[in-house]
Amino acid sequence: MINIYQPSLGKEELNAIKEVFDSNWLGKGPKTDEFIKQIATKLISDTFDGIGCSYASTEQLMTVSCCTEGVFQIIDLLDIKEGDEVILPSVSFVGIANAIINKKAKPVFCDVDKHTLNPTSDHILEKITLKTKAIIILHYAGVPCDMYDIVKLCKEKNIILIEDNANSPFSSYNGQSTGTFGDYGVWSFDAMKILVTGDGGLIYAKNKNNIEKLKRSTYLGLETASGLSNTIDKKWWEFNI
Ligand SMILES: *Cc1c(COP(=O)(O)O)cnc(C)c1O
């Protein structure tokens, strides 16, 4: 059998896992912080006339257990509810529509370009109504959507833009990294993706205050993610919820 996708896992990865075992700290901790720092240095979140660029800040990023969790959390934060519509491409992952239905909102499928399998601003425009609250686009198989037109449309219509960047971890459009154009971007690092952590995901939020809110909700209201980021003096085991 010829595998289409084959994660290249070997000694280096085994050693990295050994370091985690030896450190006796499992779950979110120093390694996830390091991961966020490194990812931030690879994401160009703004370009100035395509010349100068600035990188995403670690405060605009957080890890999640998977990309689907990220989308569920974002939809929840947006207060999308019954009667609202969220547009998504007909080529998409099932978890995206589930996140919309979970809030009793209506997933509205738009068509995609037959060559790129990406939605265009025209496809999206056809589906916009007064009930449209958000659009979740997908950059399919590493190919970026036409972000110039899509960002313009979302701004004109005052619609929240979420980028499903699970397929295109380090793609760019006009020098800017996909996943950083919209209000939110989500990544997946599951076993079939380009960058594999076993299972795992990442959220980018343009507004870093929204990352703070998302951290609160993913940690169920706990103020700190783990005892590691706190000290005994602060009595980290006494939680404010
Ligand atoms: C894999 C994938 C997801 C879901 O990622 P998980 O981390 O498994 O939740 C979402 N969207 C796209 C486009 C994907 O390919």
Side-chain angles (χ1 to χ4, degrees):
M1 186 173 73
I2 298 172
N3 290 342
I4 301 175
Y5 304 107
Q6 180 62 56
S8 50
L9 300 174
K11 274 219 174 83
E12 211 182 325
E13 287 74 18
L14 268 180
N15 282 337
I17 289 173
K18 184 174 181 301
E19 265 180 49
V20 173
F21 280 24
D22 289 345
S23 78
N24 207 21
W25 191 272
L26 304 180
K28 286 191 190 199
K31 289 283 181 191
T32 19
D33 290 346
E34 195 186 317
F35 181 75
I36 287 280
K37 271 193 197 131
Q38 290 200 19
I39 290 271
T41 66
K42 292 195 184 319
L43 293 181
I44 296 168
S45 59
D46 280 299
T47 64
F48 310 112
D49 307 327
I51 306 165
C53 60
S54 70
Y55 292 88
S57 108
T58 53
E59 291 173 323
Q60 289 174 300
L61 298 167
M62 67 181 274
T63 55
V64 269
S65 54
C66 66
C67 177
T68 304
E69 186 199 10
V71 177
F72 268 74
Q73 291 289 348
I74 292 165
I75 296 280
D76 202 40
L77 179 68
L78 292 178
D79 199 24
I80 283 174
K81 50 191 178 309
E82 194 161 2
D84 292 340
E85 294 179 357
V86 179
I87 300 174
L88 71 167
S90 47
V91 174
S92 179
F93 179 66
V94 64
I96 310 300
N98 282 344
I100 300 164
I101 290 170
N102 184 50
K103 300 302 287 187
K104 297 194 168 68
K106 185 178 168 195
V108 176
F109 294 96
C110 73
D111 212 342
V112 295
D113 179 88
K114 65 180 174 187
H115 299 297
T116 61
L117 302 184
N118 282 337
T120 66
S121 60
D122 287 342
H123 293 130
I124 297 166
L125 182 60
E126 268 174 25
K127 299 292 177 182
I128 292 178
T129 72
L130 289 173
K131 294 176 182 168
T132 309
K133 287 283 147 60
I135 154 102
I136 308 176
I137 58 165
L138 163 57
H139 305 284
Y140 190 78
V143 179
C145 296
D146 195 345
M147 293 317 291
Y148 181 81
D149 289 340
I150 292 176
V151 168
K152 195 162 152 247
L153 177 66
C154 289
K155 283 203 173 128
E156 268 168 28
K157 302 277 183 187
N158 200 19
I159 292 171
I160 305 262
L161 175 59
I162 303 165
E163 295 173 76
D164 180 351
N165 208 30
N167 283 185
S168 308
F170 300 111
S171 295
S172 63
Y173 173 91
N174 202 17
Q176 183 173 337
S177 303
T178 53
T180 70
F181 284 87
D183 302 280
Y184 301 92
V186 284
W187 282 248
S188 170
F189 309 119
D190 86 16
M192 290 189 300
K193 297 305 187 316
I194 292 164
L195 183 61
V196 174
T197 63
D199 258 324
L202 180 81
I203 300 177
Y204 165 90
K206 184 128 286 173
N207 181 343
K208 66 178 193 222
N209 294 333
N210 289 330
I211 286 291
E212 279 309 309
K213 289 180 192 160
L214 287 166
K215 280 185 178 168
R216 284 284 174 92
S217 59
T218 53
Y219 305 147
L220 309 171
L222 299 179
E223 283 180 352
T224 48
S226 68
L228 192 79
S229 56
N230 228 317
T231 60
I232 302 262
D233 311 340
K234 286 190 193 154
K235 296 191 181 175
W236 60 263
W237 55 89
E238 291 178 6
F239 293 119
N240 261 333
I241 311 278

